[in-house]
PDB file of all heavy atoms in Angstrom:
ATOM      1  N   GLY A 505      -7.191  21.652 -39.914  1.00 98.00           N
ATOM      2  CA  GLY A 505      -6.244  22.766 -39.981  1.00 98.00           C
ATOM      3  C   GLY A 505      -5.079  22.561 -41.077  1.00 98.00           C
ATOM      4  O   GLY A 505      -4.828  23.421 -41.781  1.00 98.00           O
ATOM      5  N   VAL A 506      -4.696  21.309 -41.125  1.00 98.00           N
ATOM      6  CA  VAL A 506      -3.641  20.958 -42.134  1.00 98.00           C
ATOM      7  C   VAL A 506      -4.300  21.232 -43.467  1.00 98.00           C
ATOM      8  O   VAL A 506      -3.670  21.659 -44.377  1.00 98.00           O
ATOM      9  CB  VAL A 506      -3.163  19.479 -42.039  1.00 98.00           C
ATOM     10  CG1 VAL A 506      -2.302  19.112 -43.138  1.00 98.00           C
ATOM     11  CG2 VAL A 506      -2.466  19.319 -40.634  1.00 98.00           C
ATOM     12  N   GLN A 507      -5.594  20.766 -43.712  1.00 98.00           N
ATOM     13  CA  GLN A 507      -6.308  20.840 -45.016  1.00 98.00           C
ATOM     14  C   GLN A 507      -6.475  22.316 -45.335  1.00 98.00           C
ATOM     15  O   GLN A 507      -6.367  22.673 -46.513  1.00 98.00           O
ATOM     16  CB  GLN A 507      -7.591  20.138 -44.850  1.00 98.00           C
ATOM     17  CG  GLN A 507      -8.307  19.971 -46.266  1.00 98.00           C
ATOM     18  CD  GLN A 507      -7.650  18.888 -47.091  1.00 98.00           C
ATOM     19  OE1 GLN A 507      -6.818  18.115 -46.607  1.00 98.00           O
ATOM     20  NE2 GLN A 507      -7.975  18.961 -48.372  1.00 98.00           N
ATOM     21  N   VAL A 508      -6.832  23.150 -44.349  1.00 98.00           N
ATOM     22  CA  VAL A 508      -6.990  24.559 -44.666  1.00 98.00           C
ATOM     23  C   VAL A 508      -5.589  25.120 -45.236  1.00 98.00           C
ATOM     24  O   VAL A 508      -5.629  25.966 -46.190  1.00 98.00           O
ATOM     25  CB  VAL A 508      -7.388  25.300 -43.392  1.00 98.00           C
ATOM     26  CG1 VAL A 508      -7.256  26.919 -43.730  1.00 98.00           C
ATOM     27  CG2 VAL A 508      -8.791  24.998 -43.126  1.00 98.00           C
ATOM     28  N   HIS A 509      -4.574  24.723 -44.729  1.00 98.00           N
ATOM     29  CA  HIS A 509      -3.238  25.130 -45.143  1.00 98.00           C
ATOM     30  C   HIS A 509      -2.907  24.647 -46.602  1.00 98.00           C
ATOM     31  O   HIS A 509      -1.910  25.101 -47.187  1.00 98.00           O
ATOM     32  CB  HIS A 509      -2.147  24.769 -44.159  1.00 98.00           C
ATOM     33  CG  HIS A 509      -1.996  25.701 -43.009  1.00 98.00           C
ATOM     34  ND1 HIS A 509      -2.903  25.547 -41.960  1.00 98.00           N
ATOM     35  CD2 HIS A 509      -1.096  26.586 -42.663  1.00 98.00           C
ATOM     36  CE1 HIS A 509      -2.578  26.532 -41.041  1.00 98.00           C
ATOM     37  NE2 HIS A 509      -1.442  27.035 -41.433  1.00 98.00           N
ATOM     38  N   GLY A 510      -3.628  23.616 -46.990  1.00 97.00           N
ATOM     39  CA  GLY A 510      -3.257  23.011 -48.284  1.00 97.00           C
ATOM     40  C   GLY A 510      -1.825  22.365 -48.253  1.00 97.00           C
ATOM     41  O   GLY A 510      -1.526  21.721 -47.279  1.00 97.00           O
ATOM     42  N   GLY A 511      -1.145  22.561 -49.301  1.00 96.00           N
ATOM     43  CA  GLY A 511       0.150  21.937 -49.381  1.00 96.00           C
ATOM     44  C   GLY A 511       1.174  22.369 -48.217  1.00 96.00           C
ATOM     45  O   GLY A 511       1.877  21.618 -47.834  1.00 96.00           O
ATOM     46  N   MET A 512       0.953  23.647 -47.897  1.00 96.00           N
ATOM     47  CA  MET A 512       1.821  24.164 -46.795  1.00 96.00           C
ATOM     48  C   MET A 512       1.514  23.448 -45.498  1.00 96.00           C
ATOM     49  O   MET A 512       2.315  23.573 -44.618  1.00 96.00           O
ATOM     50  CB  MET A 512       1.604  25.679 -46.647  1.00 96.00           C
ATOM     51  CG  MET A 512       2.069  26.473 -47.896  1.00 96.00           C
ATOM     52  SD  MET A 512       3.815  26.164 -48.311  1.00 96.00           S
ATOM     53  CE  MET A 512       4.555  26.780 -46.882  1.00 96.00           C
ATOM     54  N   GLY A 513       0.263  22.921 -45.312  1.00 97.00           N
ATOM     55  CA  GLY A 513       0.139  22.198 -44.082  1.00 97.00           C
ATOM     56  C   GLY A 513       0.938  21.000 -43.911  1.00 97.00           C
ATOM     57  O   GLY A 513       1.069  20.422 -42.791  1.00 97.00           O
ATOM     58  N   PHE A 514       1.395  20.455 -45.064  1.00 97.00           N
ATOM     59  CA  PHE A 514       2.279  19.209 -45.021  1.00 97.00           C
ATOM     60  C   PHE A 514       3.757  19.590 -44.774  1.00 97.00           C
ATOM     61  O   PHE A 514       4.511  18.709 -44.604  1.00 97.00           O
ATOM     62  CB  PHE A 514       2.070  18.507 -46.339  1.00 97.00           C
ATOM     63  CG  PHE A 514       2.354  17.034 -46.215  1.00 97.00           C
ATOM     64  CD1 PHE A 514       1.487  16.177 -45.509  1.00 97.00           C
ATOM     65  CD2 PHE A 514       3.371  16.439 -46.888  1.00 97.00           C
ATOM     66  CE1 PHE A 514       1.737  14.843 -45.394  1.00 97.00           C
ATOM     67  CE2 PHE A 514       3.652  15.088 -46.813  1.00 97.00           C
ATOM     68  CZ  PHE A 514       2.843  14.203 -46.034  1.00 97.00           C
ATOM     69  N   ILE A 515       3.975  20.807 -44.731  1.00 96.00           N
ATOM     70  CA  ILE A 515       5.395  21.331 -44.562  1.00 96.00           C
ATOM     71  C   ILE A 515       5.490  21.679 -43.046  1.00 96.00           C
ATOM     72  O   ILE A 515       4.782  22.529 -42.488  1.00 96.00           O
ATOM     73  CB  ILE A 515       5.655  22.587 -45.344  1.00 96.00           C
ATOM     74  CG1 ILE A 515       5.337  22.281 -46.901  1.00 96.00           C
ATOM     75  CG2 ILE A 515       7.085  23.102 -45.229  1.00 96.00           C
ATOM     76  CD1 ILE A 515       6.201  21.140 -47.406  1.00 96.00           C
ATOM     77  N   GLU A 516       6.500  21.053 -42.404  1.00 95.00           N
ATOM     78  CA  GLU A 516       6.637  21.216 -41.009  1.00 95.00           C
ATOM     79  C   GLU A 516       6.890  22.684 -40.560  1.00 95.00           C
ATOM     80  O   GLU A 516       6.441  23.074 -39.406  1.00 95.00           O
ATOM     81  CB  GLU A 516       7.851  20.323 -40.540  1.00 95.00           C
ATOM     82  CG  GLU A 516       7.518  18.843 -40.453  1.00 95.00           C
ATOM     83  CD  GLU A 516       6.459  18.534 -39.453  1.00 95.00           C
ATOM     84  OE1 GLU A 516       6.099  19.343 -38.567  1.00 95.00           O
ATOM     85  OE2 GLU A 516       6.039  17.365 -39.425  1.00 95.00           O
ATOM     86  N   GLU A 517       7.545  23.488 -41.363  1.00 94.00           N
ATOM     87  CA  GLU A 517       7.791  24.830 -40.935  1.00 94.00           C
ATOM     88  C   GLU A 517       6.604  25.691 -40.591  1.00 94.00           C
ATOM     89  O   GLU A 517       6.695  26.662 -39.838  1.00 94.00           O
ATOM     90  CB  GLU A 517       8.631  25.555 -41.931  1.00 94.00           C
ATOM     91  CG  GLU A 517      10.148  25.082 -42.012  1.00 94.00           C
ATOM     92  CD  GLU A 517      10.385  23.764 -42.665  1.00 94.00           C
ATOM     93  OE1 GLU A 517       9.369  23.170 -43.226  1.00 94.00           O
ATOM     94  OE2 GLU A 517      11.492  23.162 -42.645  1.00 94.00           O
ATOM     95  N   THR A 518       5.450  25.318 -41.139  1.00 95.00           N
ATOM     96  CA  THR A 518       4.311  26.151 -40.916  1.00 95.00           C
ATOM     97  C   THR A 518       3.755  25.895 -39.549  1.00 95.00           C
ATOM     98  O   THR A 518       3.038  26.735 -38.952  1.00 95.00           O
ATOM     99  CB  THR A 518       3.215  25.883 -41.950  1.00 95.00           C
ATOM    100  OG1 THR A 518       2.724  24.489 -41.791  1.00 95.00           O
ATOM    101  CG2 THR A 518       3.642  26.055 -43.364  1.00 95.00           C
ATOM    102  N   GLY A 519       4.058  24.693 -38.922  1.00 95.00           N
ATOM    103  CA  GLY A 519       3.592  24.438 -37.544  1.00 95.00           C
ATOM    104  C   GLY A 519       2.203  23.838 -37.547  1.00 95.00           C
ATOM    105  O   GLY A 519       1.784  23.408 -36.492  1.00 95.00           O
ATOM    106  N   ALA A 520       1.552  23.747 -38.717  1.00 97.00           N
ATOM    107  CA  ALA A 520       0.153  23.183 -38.677  1.00 97.00           C
ATOM    108  C   ALA A 520       0.121  21.756 -38.288  1.00 97.00           C
ATOM    109  O   ALA A 520      -0.746  21.212 -37.578  1.00 97.00           O
ATOM    110  CB  ALA A 520      -0.508  23.422 -40.034  1.00 97.00           C
ATOM    111  N   ALA A 521       1.160  20.904 -38.954  1.00 98.00           N
ATOM    112  CA  ALA A 521       1.210  19.524 -38.729  1.00 98.00           C
ATOM    113  C   ALA A 521       1.471  19.111 -37.308  1.00 98.00           C
ATOM    114  O   ALA A 521       1.131  18.104 -36.863  1.00 98.00           O
ATOM    115  CB  ALA A 521       2.187  18.934 -39.658  1.00 98.00           C
ATOM    116  N   GLN A 522       2.229  20.019 -36.594  1.00 98.00           N
ATOM    117  CA  GLN A 522       2.534  19.697 -35.193  1.00 98.00           C
ATOM    118  C   GLN A 522       1.359  19.561 -34.359  1.00 98.00           C
ATOM    119  O   GLN A 522       1.270  18.627 -33.443  1.00 98.00           O
ATOM    120  CB  GLN A 522       3.543  20.757 -34.689  1.00 98.00           C
ATOM    121  CG  GLN A 522       3.922  20.449 -33.231  1.00 98.00           C
ATOM    122  CD  GLN A 522       4.635  21.509 -32.578  1.00 98.00           C
ATOM    123  OE1 GLN A 522       5.225  22.490 -33.224  1.00 98.00           O
ATOM    124  NE2 GLN A 522       4.834  21.492 -31.261  1.00 98.00           N
ATOM    125  N   TYR A 523       0.375  20.356 -34.450  1.00 98.00           N
ATOM    126  CA  TYR A 523      -0.851  20.207 -33.721  1.00 98.00           C
ATOM    127  C   TYR A 523      -1.517  18.844 -33.947  1.00 98.00           C
ATOM    128  O   TYR A 523      -1.936  18.278 -32.942  1.00 98.00           O
ATOM    129  CB  TYR A 523      -1.839  21.320 -34.112  1.00 98.00           C
ATOM    130  CG  TYR A 523      -1.347  22.647 -33.662  1.00 98.00           C
ATOM    131  CD1 TYR A 523      -1.162  23.712 -34.643  1.00 98.00           C
ATOM    132  CD2 TYR A 523      -1.200  23.038 -32.295  1.00 98.00           C
ATOM    133  CE1 TYR A 523      -0.759  24.984 -34.225  1.00 98.00           C
ATOM    134  CE2 TYR A 523      -0.779  24.298 -31.862  1.00 98.00           C
ATOM    135  CZ  TYR A 523      -0.573  25.285 -32.864  1.00 98.00           C
ATOM    136  OH  TYR A 523      -0.125  26.544 -32.536  1.00 98.00           O
ATOM    137  N   TYR A 524      -1.511  18.390 -35.130  1.00 98.00           N
ATOM    138  CA  TYR A 524      -2.116  17.021 -35.379  1.00 98.00           C
ATOM    139  C   TYR A 524      -1.231  16.035 -34.726  1.00 98.00           C
ATOM    140  O   TYR A 524      -1.759  15.087 -34.081  1.00 98.00           O
ATOM    141  CB  TYR A 524      -2.342  16.780 -36.918  1.00 98.00           C
ATOM    142  CG  TYR A 524      -2.877  15.436 -37.173  1.00 98.00           C
ATOM    143  CD1 TYR A 524      -4.242  15.261 -37.055  1.00 98.00           C
ATOM    144  CD2 TYR A 524      -2.055  14.325 -37.460  1.00 98.00           C
ATOM    145  CE1 TYR A 524      -4.798  13.996 -37.266  1.00 98.00           C
ATOM    146  CE2 TYR A 524      -2.706  13.059 -37.688  1.00 98.00           C
ATOM    147  CZ  TYR A 524      -3.998  12.922 -37.534  1.00 98.00           C
ATOM    148  OH  TYR A 524      -4.663  11.745 -37.740  1.00 98.00           O
ATOM    149  N   ARG A 525       0.098  16.076 -34.990  1.00 98.00           N
ATOM    150  CA  ARG A 525       0.947  15.058 -34.291  1.00 98.00           C
ATOM    151  C   ARG A 525       0.875  15.070 -32.849  1.00 98.00           C
ATOM    152  O   ARG A 525       0.937  14.048 -32.207  1.00 98.00           O
ATOM    153  CB  ARG A 525       2.365  15.260 -34.816  1.00 98.00           C
ATOM    154  CG  ARG A 525       2.567  14.918 -36.316  1.00 98.00           C
ATOM    155  CD  ARG A 525       4.081  15.032 -36.674  1.00 98.00           C
ATOM    156  NE  ARG A 525       4.553  16.428 -36.765  1.00 98.00           N
ATOM    157  CZ  ARG A 525       5.350  16.965 -35.763  1.00 98.00           C
ATOM    158  NH1 ARG A 525       5.641  16.321 -34.664  1.00 98.00           N
ATOM    159  NH2 ARG A 525       5.796  18.157 -35.895  1.00 98.00           N
ATOM    160  N   ASP A 526       0.779  16.253 -32.218  1.00 98.00           N
ATOM    161  CA  ASP A 526       0.824  16.379 -30.778  1.00 98.00           C
ATOM    162  C   ASP A 526      -0.481  15.854 -30.185  1.00 98.00           C
ATOM    163  O   ASP A 526      -0.511  15.219 -29.137  1.00 98.00           O
ATOM    164  CB  ASP A 526       1.002  17.830 -30.421  1.00 98.00           C
ATOM    165  CG  ASP A 526       2.465  18.286 -30.513  1.00 98.00           C
ATOM    166  OD1 ASP A 526       3.291  17.509 -30.891  1.00 98.00           O
ATOM    167  OD2 ASP A 526       2.686  19.475 -30.321  1.00 98.00           O
ATOM    168  N   VAL A 527      -1.662  16.146 -30.798  1.00 98.00           N
ATOM    169  CA  VAL A 527      -2.954  15.846 -30.183  1.00 98.00           C
ATOM    170  C   VAL A 527      -3.368  14.401 -30.324  1.00 98.00           C
ATOM    171  O   VAL A 527      -4.176  13.887 -29.704  1.00 98.00           O
ATOM    172  CB  VAL A 527      -3.978  16.815 -30.722  1.00 98.00           C
ATOM    173  CG1 VAL A 527      -4.536  16.472 -32.101  1.00 98.00           C
ATOM    174  CG2 VAL A 527      -5.172  16.884 -29.707  1.00 98.00           C
TER     175      VAL A 527
END
Side-chain angles (χ1 to χ4, degrees):
V506 172
Q507 190 70 16
V508 169
H509 280 76
M512 293 304 295
F514 205 67
I515 305 301
E516 286 291 352
E517 284 77 5
T518 66
Q522 182 187 343
Y523 291 117
Y524 181 80
R525 290 187 288 101
D526 284 356
V527 78

